[in-house]
Amino acid sequence: MSYTFGVEPTSPAGVLVIPVAAPDAWYVDGSEARPAAALRVLGKAVRTFRGSGSWPDAVAFQS
C-alpha cells in the first residue's frame, strides 16, 4: 500500500510505502528518512487494517 503524507494535503512531503506482508518494513519512496508524519500515517493505516481486515484507500491524520 502507498499513501502520500505531509503537513499540507495539497503539497505532499513524500510517499509512504507499506509492504502488505511486512508493515514494519515501511519506507518513504526515494528516501532513507523515516519522518514522524509518515510514521503517524503508518500507525493509522495499520490500526485500520487490524480493525477491518482491509487497508484503507486513504489515511488522514491531524495533529
Side-chain angles (χ1 to χ4, degrees):
M1 295 304 304
S2 62
Y3 304 96
T4 58
F5 68 91
V7 176
E8 294 293 325
T10 57
S11 178
V15 177
L16 165 67
V17 179
I18 307 170
V20 174
D24 290 336
W26 68 274
Y27 61 93
V28 174
D29 194 33
S31 174
E32 292 189 25
R34 292 174 81 90
L39 188 56
R40 289 183 188 104
V41 171
L42 170 73
K44 192 162 184 182
V46 169
R47 280 191 304 277
T48 300
F49 172 73
R50 288 181 180 156
S52 70
S54 299
W55 289 96
D57 292 332
V59 176
F61 182 86
Q62 183 176 355
S63 60

